Amino acid sequence: MEGSDIRNRADPGQSRPGRDTKDSSTQTDSRVQGHGPRLSKVNLFTLLSLWMELFPPEQPEEDDHSQVRGIGLVVVRDSKVVGLHCSGPELHAGQAAIIQHGASLADCHLYFSRRPCATCLKMIINAGVSQISFWPGDPEVSMLSSTSTNHSKSRSPPDSITEEAALDAVAIEKLKSNSRPHICVLLQPLAPGLAQFVDETSRECDFMERVADDEPGLNTEELFNREWTRHLKHFSRQFLVETPRQHRYILTHMGLENFCVEPYFSNLRNNMRELVEVLAAVAAGVPQQQHGFYREQHSTPESSLAKSPPPPRHDGLSQDVARHCIVQARLLAYRTEDPKLGVGAVIWAKGQSAGSDGTGCLYLVGCGYNAYPAGSQYAEYPQMDNKQEDRQRRKYRYIIHAEQNALTFRTRAIKPEEPTMLFVTKCPCDECVPLIRGAGITHIYTTDQDRDKDKGDISYLRFSSLKNISKFIWQKSPSPGSASSPHRANGCVGKHSRQTDQESHSTKKLCTNRSHDSPTVS
């Protein structure tokens, strides 16, 4: 396929009001537009690829002015995410995908955060993938000279690309013109109202709510706005390319001259900017303030715990990695079919030795969001929550929970000897707790705002008594100098400190008439 044939294509399933379309819901067939705005498949997979490019490195990267840029990759099979990859110290993201998936990449769709290099592209084409989509910013082999990289303050496009970038571009054009896979740029405008919906729900999500509960004097509105602005500046520098002139230069030398003509060029940048703003809002909903994921200490005597084997050894993830994984789950939540509450979940396993890609020892097990059963009719299901008087018209008996989808469509077996970590945006309910334990999940990273609540149709009573699974709860960082200092990766927080903290805010909760029970720690 020639570069001039690449178009700004919309997802064939992109929903439109009043149309009979499959993608207007997620994993069901829809006959009506019966729900609020949500991310399209293309936008979700693109956002995940962008976020994977920013996966926190195990060691700080040196500014070595390398011409090869890091890249994020999402592998999709039958509309399900089966791989999340990023560049590492030895392997590019595309190479890491080949190593892990091999021939099972056949017929998969691959979403790259930027155009992959020829070295990766030739192996991916050879594996038999059906579609390769990339984000058309600066490619993996950078078109920008060292004086115009993202580390530089220069705002002028370079006079010429480097020899390596020129050779790579020529090779990619030959590979495209002779390949079976569809190599394209998939970009879509957001659904109407989605940007505002993401902003509003991010400001009020459980993570922000916990910050407000723990620090009643903090202006959380200002905190969110500050985090959003900081992320937006960072993501814009990373993906949007510094100036339109520079972006046109890059597109021209990538064989995408057609995008340099209006209105394609403006549409390209506008669609990129929309997604970058959404990513900034989702990330801002888990603020890097004085909160993090800290392990709960069990109040149960060791003698009673000795009856069952303890979870596999797990030294904890850095706060940056734990937060990165929970933002993955938050992105997945915006693909939900639940008209009221989106929940996302992602499961990672920690292998015995580190791989060569950017995720270190972590391997994706599965991910999901809450949705109605696959292949059924969305409009035939009840949509109401527990505020609806008629219990027959409530949704709870029909929704497949995010954790259930992540376990059902997992990409690899859960190995008893490996720590397996579930990152979920909401406290697991009583329906999911037995599944989590039975599947062999050893660690849970979550918020516990609904802990110990009973809402009739859905309850959260079992989570506190869940044994032999380590729980890392989003909460205020322990005070410096304590045994669980925030300088340690995912320290421990005990029951008594949590109770004292909750009691100090009891007046605030009564005044605001909120239904959060004071959480207890097992």
Side-chain angles (χ1 to χ4, degrees), residues 219-231:
N219 188 325
T220 54
E221 189 75 13
E222 289 184 1
L223 171 63
F224 182 89
N225 290 338
R226 185 167 63 249
E227 288 285 288
W228 183 85
T229 300
R230 181 174 66 85
H231 287 305

Side-chain angles (χ1 to χ4, degrees), residues 16 49 67 93 132 163 170 248 302 408 436 443 447 467:
R16 296 181 182 179
S49 73
Q67 192 178 350
I132 300 168
E163 181 182 8
V170 170
R248 280 193 172 96
E302 293 184 3
T408 299
I436 292 169
H443 300 75
T447 175
K467 300 296 189 301

Side-chain angles (χ1 to χ4, degrees), residues 381-414:
Y381 285 117
Q383 306 296 306
M384 298 295 105
D385 58 22
N386 59 331
K387 295 180 181 179
Q388 182 74 19
E389 292 296 330
D390 185 358
R391 292 189 66 189
Q392 280 191 319
R393 298 177 62 186
R394 296 180 188 172
K395 65 191 178 187
Y396 297 102
R397 288 176 174 81
Y398 307 97
I399 286 279
I400 307 294
H401 298 192
E403 303 96 314
Q404 295 168 359
N405 268 323
L407 290 170
T408 299
F409 300 109
R410 61 186 182 273
T411 64
R412 67 196 300 263
I414 295 176

Side-chain angles (χ1 to χ4, degrees), residues 112-148:
F112 285 92
S113 61
R114 54 189 73 241
R115 191 191 67 181
C117 66
T119 301
C120 293
L121 189 61
K122 66 182 181 183
M123 291 190 294
I124 292 165
I125 291 172
N126 187 53
V129 301
S130 61
Q131 179 175 282
I132 300 168
S133 173
F134 61 88
W135 190 250
D138 194 25
E140 187 168 26
V141 177
S142 177
M143 292 285 182
L144 304 180
S145 66
S146 59
T147 58
S148 303

Side-chain angles (χ1 to χ4, degrees), residues 33 35-39 191-198 334-336 338:
Q33 188 86 1
H35 43 70
R38 62 192 22 83
L39 284 170
L194 179 59
Q196 180 180 355
F197 177 72
V198 172
Y334 286 105
R335 183 66 185 155
T336 184
D338 190 329

Side-chain angles (χ1 to χ4, degrees), residues 57-244:
E58 289 188 339
Q59 297 180 351
E61 297 177 355
E62 296 181 1
D63 188 3
D64 59 359
H65 301 290
S66 172
Q67 192 178 350
V68 178
R69 298 183 54 120
I71 195 168
L73 168 60
V74 178
V75 180
V76 177
R77 182 186 301 115
D78 298 329
S79 297
K80 303 291 190 302
V81 175
V82 297
L84 294 175
H85 304 280
C86 60
S87 300
E90 295 184 17
L91 293 181
H92 297 186
Q95 294 172 325
I98 291 289
I99 293 296
Q100 181 169 333
H101 301 281
S104 63
L105 284 175
D107 299 324
C108 287
H109 289 194
L110 273 58
Y111 292 78
F112 285 92
S113 61
R114 54 189 73 241
R115 191 191 67 181
C117 66
T119 301
C120 293
L121 189 61
K122 66 182 181 183
M123 291 190 294
I124 292 165
I125 291 172
N126 187 53
V129 301
S130 61
Q131 179 175 282
I132 300 168
S133 173
F134 61 88
W135 190 250
D138 194 25
E140 187 168 26
V141 177
S142 177
M143 292 285 182
L144 304 180
S145 66
S146 59
T147 58
S148 303
T149 61
N150 62 330
H151 300 291
S152 172
K153 295 181 180 179
S154 171
R155 293 185 177 275
S156 300
D159 295 328
S160 62
I161 62 175
T162 64
E163 181 182 8
E164 187 64 30
L167 292 172
D168 190 72
V170 170
I172 286 174
E173 286 301 308
K174 289 184 181 296
L175 288 166
K176 284 195 305 184
S177 62
N178 289 285
S179 68
R180 181 181 67 86
H182 179 44
I183 301 175
C184 59
V185 172
L186 292 177
L187 294 171
Q188 296 177 339
L190 295 179
L194 179 59
Q196 180 180 355
F197 177 72
V198 172
D199 183 86
E200 292 175 353
T201 51
S202 293
R203 292 173 186 271
E204 300 173 357
C205 69
D206 279 12
F207 301 95
M208 289 297 298
E209 192 173 283
R210 181 59 187 269
V211 172
D213 286 348
D214 288 350
E215 302 185 57
L218 179 68
N219 188 325
T220 54
E221 189 75 13
E222 289 184 1
L223 171 63
F224 182 89
N225 290 338
R226 185 167 63 249
E227 288 285 288
W228 183 85
T229 300
R230 181 174 66 85
H231 287 305
L232 181 62
K233 289 180 179 178
H234 179 204
F235 300 158
S236 296
R237 286 195 303 268
Q238 186 81 10
F239 302 115
L240 278 171
V241 186
E242 229 172 297
T243 66

Side-chain angles (χ1 to χ4, degrees), residues 349-461:
K350 191 171 185 180
Q352 300 297 320
S353 59
S356 298
D357 67 349
T359 59
C361 296
L362 298 183
Y363 300 89
L364 181 70
V365 174
C367 55
Y369 44 83
N370 51 336
Y372 291 103
S376 50
Q377 299 294 328
Y378 172 85
E380 293 181 359
Y381 285 117
Q383 306 296 306
M384 298 295 105
D385 58 22
N386 59 331
K387 295 180 181 179
Q388 182 74 19
E389 292 296 330
D390 185 358
R391 292 189 66 189
Q392 280 191 319
R393 298 177 62 186
R394 296 180 188 172
K395 65 191 178 187
Y396 297 102
R397 288 176 174 81
Y398 307 97
I399 286 279
I400 307 294
H401 298 192
E403 303 96 314
Q404 295 168 359
N405 268 323
L407 290 170
T408 299
F409 300 109
R410 61 186 182 273
T411 64
R412 67 196 300 263
I414 295 176
K415 301 178 181 179
E417 68 276 11
E418 292 182 349
T420 304
M421 295 154 283
L422 167 68
F423 299 84
V424 61
T425 60
K426 198 166 188 64
C427 178
C429 69
D430 291 357
E431 188 176 323
C432 290
V433 164
L435 296 170
I436 292 169
R437 181 166 44 217
I441 300 293
T442 59
H443 300 75
I444 299 175
Y445 289 74
T446 189
T447 175
D448 65 348
Q449 290 297 91
D450 279 336
R451 183 199 290 253
D452 298 334
K453 291 182 183 178
D454 185 353
K455 299 182 178 180
D457 288 293
I458 187 168
S459 57
Y460 303 87
L461 304 177

Side-chain angles (χ1 to χ4, degrees), residues 14-29:
Q14 173 74 357
S15 62
R16 296 181 182 179
R19 293 283 299 274
D20 180 358
T21 170
K22 186 172 183 177
D23 196 51
S24 60
S25 64
T26 58
Q27 58 184 41
T28 64
D29 294 313

